[in-house]
Amino acid sequence: MNNKDTLKLLISEELKGIIWKIVLDDSRLLMVIETRTPDRETFFYVYDFASERFLWRHEKLKSELSLVLHSCFDGKVYFQSMQAGPVPEHTFILAYDAYTKALLFEKYTHNLEAVSEIGLVSFPGKILPKKLELLDLSNGNFVRSLSFSELSELPFPANDIHLPDDHFGPTLWETYQQLRFKNYTVKAFYRPGTKDQDQVLELYDEKQLVLTDYLNQTIQKLYQDTFFVWSGRLIYIRNKREIVSYLL
């Protein structure tokens, strides 16, 4: 890997398990990550880009529950419990403070549909037909009932995210992903490795190559969506379990 001195490295961290999901909170510049291990352990991480530090590392939270990361907004991280069975089913909602790790509330009667800027869009899990309700973001208390027609009118958080475009060629070596941001161009492509193919990332400032790194080495199947630009920061996954970010 190489980079010029002016390219600021923000994160280069190997996590426990495979990076399974990433959610972003533009309001607080927080990135939340869920990882899973071959032993079915789940860990959670919160990185604060404002202070450039991890707020959570290797957090298991309620280890007796099968939690999945749903979203993060205004410094609050929302999870759902996953009920085991032939068809896994979401069961209830948990919310944590990203900064203090304090449990804000548990809502055992509701499932989480979406997070809006004015409340949680949810529904009681055992009532059919589904009836939407708006819950308070901080304590999970009932605010009001919602109609399905109101969903399009709610203000939902937006991410300042830029995703790469796919470019398919006649061969694997001519297939790549590319993203342009300001004067930068980020490109991910495949090239033959020592045993199998490698997935390489290159970052250009104008036409000058300023960063080269491996996204995956000696891979046997193709991977995509392993990098993006968010709020002026290049973020990518290295070897499925490392999170890396540079300030652009």
Side-chain angles (χ1 to χ4, degrees):
M1 180 177 70
N2 59 72
N3 62 276
K4 64 179 184 180
D5 294 337
T6 56
L7 199 61
K8 182 179 180 180
L9 177 65
L10 300 174
I11 314 170
S12 181
E13 184 92 4
E14 183 170 346
L15 311 182
K16 288 186 177 181
I18 302 300
I19 295 175
W20 196 259
K21 186 176 184 179
I22 296 175
V23 300
L24 306 168
D25 180 359
D26 286 51
S27 68
R28 298 293 187 95
L29 286 180
L30 298 176
M31 176 175 63
V32 189
I33 304 172
E34 174 185 336
T35 67
R36 300 183 186 182
T37 71
D39 298 327
R40 298 185 178 180
E41 288 187 296
T42 303
F43 295 92
F44 301 101
Y45 302 78
V46 177
Y47 186 82
D48 181 7
F49 279 94
S51 61
E52 297 183 2
R53 64 189 179 95
F54 276 96
L55 303 177
W56 298 12
R57 263 193 177 97
H58 318 311
E59 292 292 333
K60 293 192 69 173
L61 302 179
K62 286 181 171 286
S63 58
E64 74 276 12
L65 300 175
S66 179
L67 295 183
V68 294
L69 174 63
H70 185 280
S71 50
C72 183
F73 175 67
D74 196 29
K76 303 171 188 65
V77 190
Y78 299 98
F79 301 88
Q80 286 193 300
S81 174
M82 182 70 77
Q83 185 179 47
V87 180
E89 181 183 2
H90 293 127
T91 53
F92 57 87
I93 309 168
L94 292 91
Y96 284 82
D97 186 296
Y99 298 95
T100 66
K101 303 180 189 177
L103 177 64
L104 298 176
F105 67 86
E106 300 168 289
K107 196 76 172 180
Y108 289 97
T109 55
H110 286 61
N111 290 356
L112 184 56
E113 183 88 358
V115 176
S116 79
E117 295 179 358
I118 62 171
L120 304 178
V121 179
S122 67
F123 59 93
K126 296 184 178 181
I127 296 180
L128 293 174
K130 184 189 293 186
K131 295 184 178 180
L132 295 181
E133 296 179 359
L134 193 68
L135 305 182
D136 187 276
L137 290 163
S138 298
N139 55 34
N141 291 340
F142 176 83
V143 176
R144 64 180 176 89
S145 298
L146 280 175
S147 66
F148 284 92
S149 61
E150 289 181 89
L151 290 179
S152 61
E153 301 173 2
L154 292 179
F156 288 98
N159 290 136
D160 179 23
I161 189 169
H162 301 265
L163 300 173
D165 296 320
D166 295 319
H167 298 265
F168 297 100
T171 68
L172 175 63
W173 319 119
E174 297 170 275
T175 297
Y176 62 94
Q177 288 185 298
Q178 185 168 285
L179 186 159
R180 288 190 172 90
F181 176 76
K182 296 182 178 178
N183 54 305
Y184 292 101
T185 300
V186 192
K187 183 177 180 180
F189 58 94
Y190 299 94
R191 70 184 180 194
T194 54
K195 296 181 180 179
D196 299 287
Q197 61 263 21
D198 295 331
Q199 188 181 21
V200 180
L201 179 138
E202 291 182 342
L203 173 66
Y204 292 84
D205 185 349
E206 299 294 354
K207 294 184 179 181
Q208 181 183 359
L209 178 64
V210 295
L211 173 69
T212 303
D213 202 355
Y214 287 101
L215 296 176
N216 293 283
Q217 291 179 272
T218 61
I219 58 177
Q220 298 178 350
K221 64 178 182 178
L222 305 185
Y223 292 90
Q224 290 183 303
D225 303 324
T226 51
F227 74 93
F228 57 91
V229 171
W230 174 61
S231 295
R233 297 158 179 88
L234 171 63
I235 299 171
Y236 60 92
I237 299 169
R238 182 195 293 147
N239 292 321
K240 297 184 285 186
R241 60 179 64 237
E242 299 175 52
I243 191 74
V244 183
S245 178
Y246 284 90
L247 181 65
L248 298 181

